[in-house]
Structures are given as structure tokens and as C-alpha cells.
Amino acid sequence: MMLELSETDLAAAYSLGGDHAEEGRAPLEPSDLWEALVAQPHHDYITGSYSLLGDAYHAGYRDFS
């Protein structure tokens, strides 16, 4: 059975992106973002999860930069 990201995972990615933008940090690489927030192999998740997490992070980054 493939796992799905939760709304909490996506909200955490958005929030982290906003925090990084406010701090003036460079955005995380997708693999570092996944490792920081999910800490499980992305191939265990449904297709597109990796991109969804990155999209949420970058939306937060854009909204707060």
C-alpha cells in the first residue's frame, strides 16, 4: 500500500518555506526538504508526493519573500 502525504505534512512544508524566506535563507533542495519533513523513502508514497511537498514549500517561500 502506498502512503499519502497528510495536510499536516503540506502545511509544515509551507511554513518551513515561509520561515526560510523570512530568514533570508536559500531554498532547500527537494531531497533535503523531503528528508527534513518526511524522513521516509519517497518511493513509499503515491506518485506526485515529492512534487506536492516541494510545491507547498516553494509557495510558502514565495509568499513570505
PDB file of all heavy atoms in Angstrom, residues 34-55:
ATOM      1  N   TRP A  34      12.485  16.787   1.702  1.00  0.00           N
ATOM      2  CA  TRP A  34      11.812  15.512   1.971  1.00  0.00           C
ATOM      3  C   TRP A  34      12.395  14.858   3.221  1.00  0.00           C
ATOM      4  O   TRP A  34      11.666  14.413   4.095  1.00  0.00           O
ATOM      5  CB  TRP A  34      11.937  14.577   0.770  1.00  0.00           C
ATOM      6  CG  TRP A  34      11.127  13.331   0.952  1.00  0.00           C
ATOM      7  CD1 TRP A  34      11.540  12.177   1.535  1.00  0.00           C
ATOM      8  CD2 TRP A  34       9.766  13.140   0.592  1.00  0.00           C
ATOM      9  NE1 TRP A  34      10.520  11.262   1.564  1.00  0.00           N
ATOM     10  CE2 TRP A  34       9.417  11.836   0.986  1.00  0.00           C
ATOM     11  CE3 TRP A  34       8.808  13.926  -0.024  1.00  0.00           C
ATOM     12  CZ2 TRP A  34       8.141  11.309   0.765  1.00  0.00           C
ATOM     13  CZ3 TRP A  34       7.550  13.399  -0.237  1.00  0.00           C
ATOM     14  CH2 TRP A  34       7.223  12.112   0.154  1.00  0.00           C
ATOM     15  N   GLU A  35      13.703  14.829   3.303  1.00  0.00           N
ATOM     16  CA  GLU A  35      14.368  14.208   4.447  1.00  0.00           C
ATOM     17  C   GLU A  35      14.028  14.935   5.747  1.00  0.00           C
ATOM     18  O   GLU A  35      13.785  14.306   6.780  1.00  0.00           O
ATOM     19  CB  GLU A  35      15.879  14.209   4.237  1.00  0.00           C
ATOM     20  CG  GLU A  35      16.635  13.456   5.308  1.00  0.00           C
ATOM     21  CD  GLU A  35      18.121  13.416   5.012  1.00  0.00           C
ATOM     22  OE1 GLU A  35      18.491  13.111   3.861  1.00  0.00           O
ATOM     23  OE2 GLU A  35      18.890  13.671   5.949  1.00  0.00           O
ATOM     24  N   ALA A  36      13.970  16.263   5.710  1.00  0.00           N
ATOM     25  CA  ALA A  36      13.693  17.056   6.912  1.00  0.00           C
ATOM     26  C   ALA A  36      12.263  16.874   7.407  1.00  0.00           C
ATOM     27  O   ALA A  36      12.021  16.843   8.617  1.00  0.00           O
ATOM     28  CB  ALA A  36      13.949  18.531   6.629  1.00  0.00           C
ATOM     29  N   LEU A  37      11.314  16.729   6.500  1.00  0.00           N
ATOM     30  CA  LEU A  37       9.912  16.698   6.908  1.00  0.00           C
ATOM     31  C   LEU A  37       9.286  15.307   6.954  1.00  0.00           C
ATOM     32  O   LEU A  37       8.425  15.052   7.784  1.00  0.00           O
ATOM     33  CB  LEU A  37       9.074  17.588   5.984  1.00  0.00           C
ATOM     34  CG  LEU A  37       9.376  19.076   6.070  1.00  0.00           C
ATOM     35  CD1 LEU A  37       8.536  19.841   5.068  1.00  0.00           C
ATOM     36  CD2 LEU A  37       9.139  19.602   7.474  1.00  0.00           C
ATOM     37  N   VAL A  38       9.694  14.440   6.067  1.00  0.00           N
ATOM     38  CA  VAL A  38       9.030  13.138   5.971  1.00  0.00           C
ATOM     39  C   VAL A  38       9.899  12.020   6.537  1.00  0.00           C
ATOM     40  O   VAL A  38       9.406  11.147   7.252  1.00  0.00           O
ATOM     41  CB  VAL A  38       8.621  12.826   4.520  1.00  0.00           C
ATOM     42  CG1 VAL A  38       7.907  11.497   4.424  1.00  0.00           C
ATOM     43  CG2 VAL A  38       7.746  13.950   3.965  1.00  0.00           C
ATOM     44  N   ALA A  39      11.166  12.042   6.220  1.00  0.00           N
ATOM     45  CA  ALA A  39      12.145  11.077   6.746  1.00  0.00           C
ATOM     46  C   ALA A  39      11.808   9.616   6.444  1.00  0.00           C
ATOM     47  O   ALA A  39      12.124   8.729   7.212  1.00  0.00           O
ATOM     48  CB  ALA A  39      12.344  11.283   8.245  1.00  0.00           C
ATOM     49  N   GLN A  40      11.133   9.398   5.336  1.00  0.00           N
ATOM     50  CA  GLN A  40      10.887   8.049   4.839  1.00  0.00           C
ATOM     51  C   GLN A  40      11.164   8.066   3.340  1.00  0.00           C
ATOM     52  O   GLN A  40      11.045   9.108   2.709  1.00  0.00           O
ATOM     53  CB  GLN A  40       9.431   7.630   5.078  1.00  0.00           C
ATOM     54  CG  GLN A  40       9.073   7.450   6.523  1.00  0.00           C
ATOM     55  CD  GLN A  40       7.661   6.893   6.661  1.00  0.00           C
ATOM     56  OE1 GLN A  40       7.213   6.108   5.852  1.00  0.00           O
ATOM     57  NE2 GLN A  40       6.970   7.324   7.688  1.00  0.00           N
ATOM     58  N   PRO A  41      11.510   6.933   2.767  1.00  0.00           N
ATOM     59  CA  PRO A  41      11.786   6.903   1.325  1.00  0.00           C
ATOM     60  C   PRO A  41      10.585   7.394   0.513  1.00  0.00           C
ATOM     61  O   PRO A  41       9.453   6.983   0.757  1.00  0.00           O
ATOM     62  CB  PRO A  41      12.065   5.431   1.038  1.00  0.00           C
ATOM     63  CG  PRO A  41      12.430   4.837   2.355  1.00  0.00           C
ATOM     64  CD  PRO A  41      11.677   5.626   3.387  1.00  0.00           C
ATOM     65  N   HIS A  42      10.831   8.306  -0.422  1.00  0.00           N
ATOM     66  CA  HIS A  42       9.712   8.855  -1.182  1.00  0.00           C
ATOM     67  C   HIS A  42       9.070   7.839  -2.108  1.00  0.00           C
ATOM     68  O   HIS A  42       7.918   7.996  -2.490  1.00  0.00           O
ATOM     69  CB  HIS A  42      10.091  10.138  -1.932  1.00  0.00           C
ATOM     70  CG  HIS A  42      11.123   9.984  -2.976  1.00  0.00           C
ATOM     71  ND1 HIS A  42      10.833   9.594  -4.237  1.00  0.00           N
ATOM     72  CD2 HIS A  42      12.459  10.189  -2.937  1.00  0.00           C
ATOM     73  CE1 HIS A  42      11.936   9.560  -4.950  1.00  0.00           C
ATOM     74  NE2 HIS A  42      12.944   9.911  -4.183  1.00  0.00           N
ATOM     75  N   HIS A  43       9.768   6.754  -2.432  1.00  0.00           N
ATOM     76  CA  HIS A  43       9.148   5.740  -3.282  1.00  0.00           C
ATOM     77  C   HIS A  43       8.064   4.951  -2.539  1.00  0.00           C
ATOM     78  O   HIS A  43       7.313   4.201  -3.157  1.00  0.00           O
ATOM     79  CB  HIS A  43      10.207   4.802  -3.887  1.00  0.00           C
ATOM     80  CG  HIS A  43      10.994   4.045  -2.875  1.00  0.00           C
ATOM     81  ND1 HIS A  43      12.197   4.512  -2.384  1.00  0.00           N
ATOM     82  CD2 HIS A  43      10.757   2.872  -2.256  1.00  0.00           C
ATOM     83  CE1 HIS A  43      12.660   3.646  -1.496  1.00  0.00           C
ATOM     84  NE2 HIS A  43      11.806   2.649  -1.405  1.00  0.00           N
ATOM     85  N   ASP A  44       7.930   5.140  -1.212  1.00  0.00           N
ATOM     86  CA  ASP A  44       6.850   4.514  -0.444  1.00  0.00           C
ATOM     87  C   ASP A  44       5.545   5.298  -0.558  1.00  0.00           C
ATOM     88  O   ASP A  44       4.505   4.845  -0.107  1.00  0.00           O
ATOM     89  CB  ASP A  44       7.210   4.408   1.042  1.00  0.00           C
ATOM     90  CG  ASP A  44       8.294   3.390   1.324  1.00  0.00           C
ATOM     91  OD1 ASP A  44       8.605   2.571   0.432  1.00  0.00           O
ATOM     92  OD2 ASP A  44       8.845   3.416   2.435  1.00  0.00           O
ATOM     93  N   TYR A  45       5.617   6.492  -1.154  1.00  0.00           N
ATOM     94  CA  TYR A  45       4.461   7.382  -1.246  1.00  0.00           C
ATOM     95  C   TYR A  45       3.892   7.382  -2.658  1.00  0.00           C
ATOM     96  O   TYR A  45       4.585   7.063  -3.617  1.00  0.00           O
ATOM     97  CB  TYR A  45       4.858   8.808  -0.847  1.00  0.00           C
ATOM     98  CG  TYR A  45       5.000   8.950   0.640  1.00  0.00           C
ATOM     99  CD1 TYR A  45       6.116   8.475   1.297  1.00  0.00           C
ATOM    100  CD2 TYR A  45       3.993   9.526   1.397  1.00  0.00           C
ATOM    101  CE1 TYR A  45       6.246   8.568   2.673  1.00  0.00           C
ATOM    102  CE2 TYR A  45       4.104   9.630   2.772  1.00  0.00           C
ATOM    103  CZ  TYR A  45       5.227   9.156   3.403  1.00  0.00           C
ATOM    104  OH  TYR A  45       5.333   9.239   4.767  1.00  0.00           O
ATOM    105  N   ILE A  46       2.622   7.758  -2.773  1.00  0.00           N
ATOM    106  CA  ILE A  46       1.985   7.775  -4.080  1.00  0.00           C
ATOM    107  C   ILE A  46       2.719   8.729  -5.013  1.00  0.00           C
ATOM    108  O   ILE A  46       3.343   9.697  -4.576  1.00  0.00           O
ATOM    109  CB  ILE A  46       0.485   8.139  -3.998  1.00  0.00           C
ATOM    110  CG1 ILE A  46       0.276   9.534  -3.408  1.00  0.00           C
ATOM    111  CG2 ILE A  46      -0.294   7.103  -3.233  1.00  0.00           C
ATOM    112  CD1 ILE A  46      -1.159  10.027  -3.505  1.00  0.00           C
ATOM    113  N   THR A  47       2.627   8.456  -6.290  1.00  0.00           N
ATOM    114  CA  THR A  47       3.281   9.277  -7.299  1.00  0.00           C
ATOM    115  C   THR A  47       2.830  10.722  -7.170  1.00  0.00           C
ATOM    116  O   THR A  47       1.653  10.992  -6.990  1.00  0.00           O
ATOM    117  CB  THR A  47       2.935   8.743  -8.705  1.00  0.00           C
ATOM    118  OG1 THR A  47       3.365   7.389  -8.784  1.00  0.00           O
ATOM    119  CG2 THR A  47       3.601   9.556  -9.789  1.00  0.00           C
ATOM    120  N   GLY A  48       3.766  11.622  -7.234  1.00  0.00           N
ATOM    121  CA  GLY A  48       3.466  13.040  -7.152  1.00  0.00           C
ATOM    122  C   GLY A  48       3.668  13.639  -5.777  1.00  0.00           C
ATOM    123  O   GLY A  48       3.655  14.856  -5.625  1.00  0.00           O
ATOM    124  N   SER A  49       3.853  12.801  -4.764  1.00  0.00           N
ATOM    125  CA  SER A  49       4.011  13.304  -3.398  1.00  0.00           C
ATOM    126  C   SER A  49       5.245  14.180  -3.261  1.00  0.00           C
ATOM    127  O   SER A  49       5.215  15.216  -2.593  1.00  0.00           O
ATOM    128  CB  SER A  49       4.091  12.153  -2.398  1.00  0.00           C
ATOM    129  OG  SER A  49       2.900  11.419  -2.375  1.00  0.00           O
ATOM    130  N   TYR A  50       6.316  13.759  -3.871  1.00  0.00           N
ATOM    131  CA  TYR A  50       7.578  14.500  -3.817  1.00  0.00           C
ATOM    132  C   TYR A  50       7.369  15.913  -4.367  1.00  0.00           C
ATOM    133  O   TYR A  50       7.794  16.892  -3.769  1.00  0.00           O
ATOM    134  CB  TYR A  50       8.603  13.719  -4.640  1.00  0.00           C
ATOM    135  CG  TYR A  50      10.048  14.078  -4.444  1.00  0.00           C
ATOM    136  CD1 TYR A  50      10.736  13.667  -3.313  1.00  0.00           C
ATOM    137  CD2 TYR A  50      10.735  14.783  -5.409  1.00  0.00           C
ATOM    138  CE1 TYR A  50      12.093  13.963  -3.149  1.00  0.00           C
ATOM    139  CE2 TYR A  50      12.080  15.081  -5.266  1.00  0.00           C
ATOM    140  CZ  TYR A  50      12.745  14.673  -4.130  1.00  0.00           C
ATOM    141  OH  TYR A  50      14.084  14.959  -3.973  1.00  0.00           O
ATOM    142  N   SER A  51       6.675  16.008  -5.486  1.00  0.00           N
ATOM    143  CA  SER A  51       6.404  17.306  -6.108  1.00  0.00           C
ATOM    144  C   SER A  51       5.445  18.146  -5.271  1.00  0.00           C
ATOM    145  O   SER A  51       5.612  19.357  -5.163  1.00  0.00           O
ATOM    146  CB  SER A  51       5.815  17.121  -7.505  1.00  0.00           C
ATOM    147  OG  SER A  51       6.761  16.548  -8.358  1.00  0.00           O
ATOM    148  N   LEU A  52       4.428  17.513  -4.703  1.00  0.00           N
ATOM    149  CA  LEU A  52       3.470  18.249  -3.863  1.00  0.00           C
ATOM    150  C   LEU A  52       4.156  18.898  -2.675  1.00  0.00           C
ATOM    151  O   LEU A  52       3.867  20.048  -2.331  1.00  0.00           O
ATOM    152  CB  LEU A  52       2.371  17.316  -3.353  1.00  0.00           C
ATOM    153  CG  LEU A  52       1.272  16.947  -4.321  1.00  0.00           C
ATOM    154  CD1 LEU A  52       0.334  15.916  -3.683  1.00  0.00           C
ATOM    155  CD2 LEU A  52       0.489  18.171  -4.741  1.00  0.00           C
ATOM    156  N   LEU A  53       5.046  18.170  -2.045  1.00  0.00           N
ATOM    157  CA  LEU A  53       5.758  18.707  -0.893  1.00  0.00           C
ATOM    158  C   LEU A  53       6.616  19.899  -1.318  1.00  0.00           C
ATOM    159  O   LEU A  53       6.617  20.943  -0.660  1.00  0.00           O
ATOM    160  CB  LEU A  53       6.615  17.628  -0.236  1.00  0.00           C
ATOM    161  CG  LEU A  53       7.125  17.955   1.158  1.00  0.00           C
ATOM    162  CD1 LEU A  53       5.985  17.937   2.159  1.00  0.00           C
ATOM    163  CD2 LEU A  53       8.197  16.981   1.585  1.00  0.00           C
ATOM    164  N   GLY A  54       7.318  19.760  -2.420  1.00  0.00           N
ATOM    165  CA  GLY A  54       8.129  20.855  -2.939  1.00  0.00           C
ATOM    166  C   GLY A  54       7.293  22.057  -3.335  1.00  0.00           C
ATOM    167  O   GLY A  54       7.664  23.205  -3.066  1.00  0.00           O
ATOM    168  N   ASP A  55       6.140  21.818  -3.937  1.00  0.00           N
ATOM    169  CA  ASP A  55       5.252  22.916  -4.326  1.00  0.00           C
ATOM    170  C   ASP A  55       4.771  23.689  -3.105  1.00  0.00           C
ATOM    171  O   ASP A  55       4.715  24.917  -3.119  1.00  0.00           O
ATOM    172  CB  ASP A  55       4.051  22.397  -5.118  1.00  0.00           C
ATOM    173  CG  ASP A  55       4.415  21.892  -6.494  1.00  0.00           C
ATOM    174  OD1 ASP A  55       5.553  22.137  -6.964  1.00  0.00           O
ATOM    175  OD2 ASP A  55       3.549  21.230  -7.111  1.00  0.00           O
TER     176      ASP A  55
END
